[in-house]
Amino acid sequence: MAERTKLAIGAAAGTLIAAWYRRHRRRDPWEAMLDRALPAIVVIRVNYVKPFDGEQAGSGSATGFVVDFERGLILTNRHVIGTGPIRAEATFVNKEEVPLTPVYRDPVHDFGLFHFDVTKLRYADELQRAEIPLSPDGAKVGLEIRVVGNDSGEKIQILAGTLARLDRNAPLYGGDGFNDFNTFYYSAASNTSGGSSGSPVLDSRGRAVALNAGGCNASASSYYLPLHAVVRALDALKRFETPQRGTLRVVWRHVTCDEARRLALSPAAEALLRRHHHGDDTCGLLCVDQVITGGSGSDAGLEPGDLLLSCGDKRFPDFDALESYLDANVDRAVQLSIERGGASKSIRPAKAESLHNLVPSNFLEFGGGVLHSISLGTARSGNLDAGVGVYVAFAGFVLDVAGVPAHAVLTAVGDVETPTLDAFQDAVAKLGDGARVNVRYYAVGDRFNAQVALVRVNYRWFKLQRWRRRDPHLNEIPVDANASFRACWESTQIETNPIPYTEDAPAAATFQRSHATAAANSVVSCICKVSFDVLHAVDGVHDWHFAGCGIVVDAERGLVSTDRNTVVTALGECAVTFAASVELPAKVIFVHPTRNFAIVRYDASRFDGVAPERRPTSAPLKPRDLAVGDALEFVGLSRTNPDQSLSQKVTVTELSCVNIAQAHVPRFRALNEEIAKFDQVLNKSLGGVLVDEDGSVSATWSCYSFYSWSDEKNYEAFHAVGVGGLLDATLAVASNIDNKPEKPLRVVGFGLKRLPLSTARTSMRLDDAWVEKLRKARPGRSQVLSVAHLAHTQQSFLREGDLLLSMNGTSTATFADVDEACSHGGASIPATLWREGEALEVNEPLERVPLGAGTERVVVWAGLLLQKPHRSVLEMGEPPNQAYVSYYLYGSPGHFYGIKACRFVTEVNSHEITDLDSFLSAVSSIEDGEAVRLKTSDLQGQVVAVTLRTDDRFWPAHEFSFRGGDWSVRKL
C-alpha cells in the first residue's frame, strides 16, 4: 500500500510540474502568431465561367486572407479574381464555406478584393473575428517571414523564408495573360507553388508585409507584391468609392545609377539623385521601358530610355510615388520632367487616363465565342492600341470553323471597319442566320500581317448576347449570393436580322476529267469533299473539325456517303464541295452503328437546269467479293489539294479485316468489316473509290480512326472495303425519304474476328466435318469466325470465344456470309455455334439498324452533356440507365465541381434516374444557385456521390433534338 501511495504522489507531482511549465514557459512567437492568423486565412476555389482577357475558362484554387472581418473583405491576387465572370467560394479554417463576390480587381497590379457575407457564417465565433493587419512599410531585407496558404492545393501550408530583395522589377510570366508592371516586387526563397497565390507574407507579429503573387519554376524564388497600393484601394472601398487609378500608358523600369549613367544620365543629375537617396538601398531612377500605342504618354512625346527626374513636385519618384501622383490626377494634366541623352527636358503636359477604362468590363458572345475590347495588358504585350480592334478571347464554334484563332484581333466585317466592340456588334447584327461574310483580322504578336477568313453566321444555335460588368460598392451588395452575382453581370440579347440567308442560284461544278482511263474519268463527278465541324463533344468524339471524301450514292436525292472518321457524330455543321467550285450545306441523316459510313444529304435542286457534265452523278455501286489478284483503279481526292482528283492502278494482294480496340473514351469503331490490301501504297488522299475496268465501284477507300494505348494518341488508317452494306443502306434511306416501305437493315450484335481453321481444329477441337464445310464454302480462305466481344444491346446466347459456324443453315466463313444471312433474317436467326468441343443450335437475336442520325437528343444541364449511351458505351458493359454524361463544358458547374465524363447519372436529389426524361423531370424544379446532390456511376459500375451548385445565368439548360432530318434547340 505504501508503495502505491508513493507512486500516486509521484504521478501527481509530475502532473503539477507539467502544468506549471505549460503556464510559465515562453511560447514561440511564431506559434502564437499563427494561432491568431490562421482563422483569417481562407482557401479560395474559383470557377472562371468564360474565357476572358487571355485567360481560359476553367477552375482553380488559391488563397486569400481577411483584412476586414466586419465588412467581409478578403484580399487575394488579381490573377485569381480575374476580370471576367467568375463564381468563387472561400473555405475557412473551421471548414465552413461562403460564396464570394468580387468588389475590386486592380487594373495593373496583382491584387483584388472579395466580399463575403459575415452573417452567412454559422460558426463565426470559432473564427474569433480574425483579420490580418496590413503593414506595407514593415518589409525589410533580412526580415524572417512565413507564407501561409493553400500551397499545391494542400489546404494550409506554412513556408518559411527571409526577404532578400525589395527592389525587384515585376516578374514577366509571358503569354497574353495577366502580367504586373510599374511596381517593385519583393523576393525570397520560400519555394511557393500553385495554390499559394494570394497568401499573406507574415512577420512574427502577424502583420502582412506583402502579398504572395508568383514564383519561379526553375528555382526556389517567390515573388511578393508590396501593399502600398492595396492600402489605398482598401481605404477607398471603405468610403464606398471606386479607387482612382491613373496612367500614361507607359511601362516604367527601375534602373540602377550605373545603368542610368549608361543611358546618358548627366553627372549633375546623378549627384542630386545620390544625395536624394543617401543611405537608401533602392537608389536608382525610373526609366521608360515601353510607350504603349495610343496613350497620353505617346501623345506627350515620351520615348523608351527617357529617365524620370520628377513628377509634379516629387523629385526622383519611385514606382509608388509616381503611382500616387497619377492616381490623384486622373483626367487632369500632369507634368513630368525627364532627362534624355544627358539633357533635361520637360515634356508636354500629359493627361492621366483612368486605368479602369483600359480594362474590358463587357464582352460579346458571338457564335459561341467571347469577344471584347483590347485590354491594356494585351496592348502592352502586342504593342497595340488598346482602343482599336476587337480581341478574340475565345474563338467559339463560328470563328474556329472559319480558322480565326483565339488571341486574334478583328478589324473589319465585310467592308465595315470594327475599331470597337460596338462597331463589331452593329455589323454582325445586320447579318442573317447563315450569311457568309469576310472577316479581317491579325494575330496578337503579328499585327502587320492581316488575314481574311470567310465566316458563316450561326444564330440558330448561338444568340448574339452582350454582357456588362459592374463591381458593386460595399453598401450595394445584395445579401443573396446569386443576386450578388447577377448584380455584377448583366446580359442583353441583341436583335439580329430575322431574315435567314438563302442562296438559290443554280450550282454548276467544273469536273476535271484528265485521268488516263475512261473508268477513272467516269467517276470523277461521283466524288466530293465532305467537311464536318462538331458542335459538342458527344459520342466520344476526339476532335472538332474533320474532312474526308464523299461518294454521291444518289444524285437525284442528294445523298452522299462518307466515312465515320469524317462524320463522327450528327450534331454539327456539314458541307459538301464538288470540284472545289461548289460548296453546299448538308445534313447528316444516317450513321451506321457498326460500319464505317454515314450518309449526308444536300439540296439536289441546286443543280436543276445545269448541263449534265457539270452536275454530280450517282456512283455505280456494284457489290462483289474482292479476291486476291483483282486489278482495280483508285480514284480519289488529294489530301493536300482537294480540288485535284487522283488515280492509281492497284492489285489486291491480301484480304484482311479491321481490328480496332476500344478507345479510352468510348467512341465509334467499325466492326465485322473485311478489307483489301494492295501491292503498292496509295497516294495521300482524303479517300475515294476503287473501280473495275467497266467503271463500276466495287469498294471505297475509307478512313478509320483508332486510339493507341501505348502512346495515348489518335491515329488514322485508310482501308478498302466493299460496297455491299453501303448499297443496302442507300436503298433503305432512299425508301425512307420517299415514305415507302423499306427493307430493314439488320446486323449481328457482336464483334467477330477471323481464326485460321488449323487453330480452330487444334485449340478449339473443331471437328473435321465442320472444317471441311467451311473450306468448301469459301475455297482458299481456310478460316472461321470467332466471337471477339459482345455488345450489351440485347440478350445474346453467345459468349466470347464461340465459333460462329453457320446462320440460317448457311456456313459463315466470312463477314460477307454473315451480312448475307442477316439480310434474310428477321428479329432473330437460327445459328450454329461451336463451344467447348461441341456444336450448339441457338436462335440468335439480330439488331435492327435505325434509319436515323444515331444520337438524336442531347441535353445540356449545368454544362454537362447528357445523351442516351451510344453503341460504343454499350460495348463496355450493361449500362445502369439511359442518362450518360458524354462530356462537360469548361467553366461550367459540372466542370468546376469535378463531375467526370463517361459516367451515368443515377440519382438527382434522391430521385432515381432511368433516362433523359426522368433526369429532366428531376431537375425541373431546381432553382438557380441551388445545391444539387448527384450520384454517378462509371463504366465499371462504381458509384460516387457528388454535389454541385447550378448557374442558370451563364449555363442555362437546353436540349438539342433531331427531328424531320434536322436539328433544333430549345431552352429548358
Side-chain angles (χ1 to χ4, degrees), residues 796-868:
S796 176
F797 297 99
L798 278 70
R799 299 179 188 171
E800 289 86 350
D802 286 348
L803 301 181
L804 182 62
L805 303 178
S806 71
M807 298 180 71
N808 220 13
T810 302
S811 297
T812 51
T814 65
F815 297 127
D817 296 335
V818 175
D819 290 343
E820 179 65 19
C822 290
S823 67
H824 298 290
S828 61
I829 191 170
T832 304
L833 313 177
W834 187 267
R835 179 187 300 165
E836 298 178 358
E838 61 178 346
L840 301 177
E841 301 293 333
V842 299
N843 202 36
E844 179 66 16
L846 295 179
E847 288 185 23
R848 179 166 181 171
V849 177
L851 294 179
T855 296
E856 298 185 345
R857 186 184 185 193
V858 177
V859 171
V860 184
W861 179 82
L864 300 176
L865 303 175
L866 294 104
Q867 63 174 99
K868 183 179 178 180

Side-chain angles (χ1 to χ4, degrees), residues 611-671:
E613 68 274 9
R614 304 192 67 183
R615 302 177 58 175
T617 57
S618 299
L621 303 181
K622 186 178 180 180
R624 70 177 181 87
D625 292 334
L626 297 179
V628 174
D630 284 351
L632 302 170
E633 186 168 9
F634 165 72
V635 183
L637 295 180
S638 169
R639 178 176 287 271
T640 56
N641 187 13
D643 62 341
Q644 179 70 44
S645 60
L646 307 172
S647 65
Q648 183 178 352
K649 291 186 177 182
V650 295
T651 301
V652 178
T653 57
E654 181 186 350
L655 297 177
S656 184
C657 66
V658 292
N659 184 18
I660 301 175
Q662 184 62 272
H664 67 307
V665 174
R667 69 177 193 234
F668 169 79
R669 58 172 175 165
L671 302 176

Side-chain angles (χ1 to χ4, degrees), residues 260-270 285 301-303 305-310 336-347:
R261 193 182 308 120
R262 292 194 295 271
L263 289 168
L265 179 66
S266 65
E270 182 178 358
L285 277 175
L302 285 172
E303 297 178 4
D306 287 348
L307 299 170
L308 181 62
L309 301 180
S310 67
L336 303 183
S337 176
I338 65 167
E339 187 162 298
R340 180 186 299 164
S344 296
K345 183 177 181 180
S346 293
I347 67 168

Side-chain angles (χ1 to χ4, degrees), residues 428-439:
V428 296
K430 296 175 182 177
L431 304 173
D433 178 49
R436 296 174 183 267
V437 63
N438 284 326
V439 170

Side-chain angles (χ1 to χ4, degrees), residues 898-943:
I899 298 177
K900 306 295 185 182
C902 304
R903 302 187 71 91
F904 299 87
V905 178
T906 57
E907 275 190 23
V908 175
N909 288 343
S910 300
H911 295 288
E912 182 182 2
I913 304 302
T914 58
D915 54 20
L916 295 180
D917 288 330
S918 62
F919 175 83
L920 291 179
S921 176
V923 301
S924 60
S925 59
I926 295 175
E927 299 292 333
D928 181 22
E930 183 178 339
V932 185
R933 304 185 310 278
L934 302 176
K935 281 187 179 179
T936 66
S937 170
D938 66 11
L939 296 172
Q940 303 304 313
Q942 182 176 351
V943 178

Side-chain angles (χ1 to χ4, degrees), residues 429-512:
K430 296 175 182 177
L431 304 173
D433 178 49
R436 296 174 183 267
V437 63
N438 284 326
V439 170
R440 187 175 296 275
Y441 70 96
Y442 62 84
V444 174
D446 193 21
R447 67 190 182 102
F448 296 114
N449 292 313
Q451 300 182 56
V452 176
L454 180 61
V455 171
R456 185 168 183 245
V457 177
N458 190 320
Y459 292 139
R460 179 175 63 148
W461 289 341
F462 306 101
K463 302 302 181 185
L464 192 64
Q465 195 153 331
R466 188 73 173 264
W467 294 84
R468 289 180 170 84
R469 187 194 81 216
R470 188 187 72 86
D471 291 335
H473 293 302
L474 292 180
N475 59 342
E476 299 174 333
I477 299 176
V479 174
D480 178 67
N482 286 316
S484 173
F485 184 71
R486 288 190 290 270
C488 292
W489 288 94
E490 299 175 347
S491 65
T492 304
Q493 184 170 318
I494 307 302
E495 292 187 10
T496 58
N497 187 341
I499 303 174
Y501 172 82
T502 57
E503 187 174 346
D504 301 323
T510 303
F511 297 101
Q512 300 295 328

